[in-house]
Amino acid sequence: MPRKSKFDKSKTCIKCKTARGNIVIRHAVYCKTCFTPLVVTKYKRCLDPHINAAPDGQRRSTLKASGNLLIGLSGGLGSTVLLDITSRCYFSTKSSTEDGRKGGKAHPKNDRVWKQASVCFVDTSRAFSEGVTKDRSEDIRAMVEQHKEFEFIVLRLEDAFDISWWKQLGGYVPSSDIRANLANEDLVITEAHLQSSDPVASLRSYLSSLPTATAVRSSINTLARLLLLHTARSMQCSHLLLGTSLTSLSISLINSIAQGGGFNVLEESFEEWTPQIARSAQDASSDSPHLAGGVCTVRVVRPLRDIGMKECAAWAWWNGLQVVGKDRTFDPDGKQTIGGLTKDFIVGLERDYPSTVSTIARTCAKLAPKNEPDGQCIVCERPAQRGIQDWKSRISIRSLEPPSPHPPHVASDDPPPISLTPHLCYACHTTLISRSSRSTVQNGAEASLAPLPVWTRSALVESDAADVMGTKRLVDHEDMRNAIGEFLLHD
Amino acid sequence: MTPTPKTCALCSKFRAIIKRPKTGQQICKECFFFVFETEVHNTITEAKLFSRGDRVAIGASGGKDSTVLAHVMKALNERYGYGLDLYLLSIDEGITGYRDDSLETVKRNQQQYSMPLKILSYDELYGWTMDAIVSQIGKKNNCTFCGVFRRQALDRGAAMLKVDHIVTGHNADDIAETVLMNIMRGDIARLGRCTLICTEGEDTIKRSKPFKYAYEKEIVMYAYFKRLDYFSTECIYSPDAYRGHARTFLKDLESARPSAIIDIIHSGEAFEVKEEVRKGQKAQQTCRKCGYMSSNDLCKACTLLEGLEKGLAEARIIDVGGRTGSHEMPPEEPREVTKLDPS
């Protein structure tokens, strides 16, 4: 049987209609010369509308960001291509005449879009025992140093548990060590005297307390994302660029939906993040130190979100880019985790049905959260939904007895334990408690007492979170009183 | 050394004999029956599905979901005093060797539960059996015909029984799979409504899914412990390849983390189609041929039937002249379609 043709009509480039094609992108043939502007156009179409603080509609004005730029680099294909295209499009050192730019050097149009630009790599090698994964930060540094215009920053995943790192960023440091008991649904918080704990040990303890391999993988992603975001904020960055290609965007959309993150489906492709601390400071006073420099919202843009993995690979190959590669030690066969299974599934689909990844991304772009958010999750710092626990307890009964309310005199002596659960979004709560038959965690409460990331601890004890909890206790007390009011006997 | 038997995580009295697929808790048989039924009851009451005196038809195929649904609906109706008149409604697609046996299960349920039963066939409604359709169009894509026809057939059967409501045995796995499929094929209209527990057309009957949050594995478990018998034969015609793809993926996700099914449904309920996209969607109309709700002039079933009849006419032309006939060729004897009675 003759093999089915990979392209629809001819072998000639559909753009210039003269040259012989070099690549087939979703049944359309392009030559190498036309491929470059095609990719750059798609890239700029995703990024440019988000650069200026306020959109200027149809009129295309000078691009000027309100802050600096941070690029998240994992060493994978997408982020390597992202770094290369960003460097060419926005930081090219060509003179105005070479470049054909109008208006001369001093023209505001030819100013840099961002004053400063940095590249940040989050090293995850110490998440597991020594020797399991290699620290690739030096390989990445060598790669970034080819681009003189970017400053290189290395973050370590354990920084998420490092009080000194958090202090440097101006975060609030709680005076006690806060841990959560992951053995039950309520995730009860215990406070202990603050000891100088080793961030690496805390990170490993946190990850080993998680109930599934899926939870470990998604927690690593969440920690890395928050490290990048907090770093971006501390560096007065208005934009954080990530190298998520169309293929990886589809994977993260399905991955997020499969883990209960439907409420945050929009944030997977574009996000405007305001940290918890800035929100509370904004509410309290406008001249808070958290808002120093005026930048408190970071836009997370994925400029490669219309460019498939195949196009990224072709760009890297034709431009001689060296891809260091991502850390694949964890779940190498992709069979253990929802993330790994989703990746295998989508990459397989893309091979057989090349339009599917684009369909997934386009479909999800037409969705919006159903209800208004009820605050921010204190682990992933994304909008959280209300009524999650009621929903969960209604559709899966885990206890035969309804929780009995405490009479007021008991409540005053023995305050109810503080729970992490009301401050979490559905996906983070599920990550911390959902088990499987292949659970990674040992049984027993002691093994499940997990340290928490610094921003979560900070949010729990910081004024607004404390207020939330204090108010909640008070309301409960009042509710109880109202409920039994008619039965109270007066002296 | 034999491990000590565990006590039930819910009642703490009896020996746990199952690990609940949905929560991972180890519980006893009676507690399992209780939580399974109570969760269905919670689903029904939270969505305010029924009113006292409603006539409700249970879409019964003789498979596990509908067999367990009939049992649970009868039990809950008695326990909580819903005050419903329950009926069984079966559709005979006309697939020799597949539907015959399962219809026997439905007939047995009719006796066991003392519920009136109505069986309606595709042949009776459309003049086509699935066997005839497959001989015409082949094994590929025949699931489209079957799915579209079944939906309409249930509505028509319900109208004949004069019921207000049809309940179907769609379970949590089916809904999670549909959410994934609709995202992957970009079906935004269906994505918006596939997680709804109850759907209602303009002049059609309410249709709901009380097993929306019930895991398929738990339905099988319930049938096993209650000793309910059912037929689990796979359809002899080719399964929907795309759905099969999504189902395999979902099963993999479930084995990585069992809550994945309920998490996907939660995701599906947490988002909706953006207002501006919704405005651009087609408004619902009624089919000019049969009066059923439709997105176009002709409903999907009538469009498919026209295609089938045109195909027959074309086949005749090919037989005679050896050439493909005109696509505008009308059917030789236009089919009479049963009009839907809005009353």
Side-chain angles (χ1 to χ4, degrees), chain A residues 257 366 368 370 395 397 426 434, chain B residues 22 39 259 263 267 270 272:
Chain A
I257 287 168
K366 291 175 188 163
K370 209 174 253 178
I395 56 130
I397 299 169
Y426 182 93
S434 181
Chain B
K22 196 176 189 178
E39 282 168 10
S259 71
D263 298 341
S267 286
E272 62 184 357

Side-chain angles (χ1 to χ4, degrees), chain A residues 360-381:
Chain A
I360 292 170
R362 278 188 291 116
T363 310
C364 291
K366 291 175 188 163
L367 302 174
K370 209 174 253 178
N371 301 308
E372 284 297 306
D374 182 25
Q376 206 181 29
C377 169
I378 61 170
V379 171
C380 69
E381 300 204 352

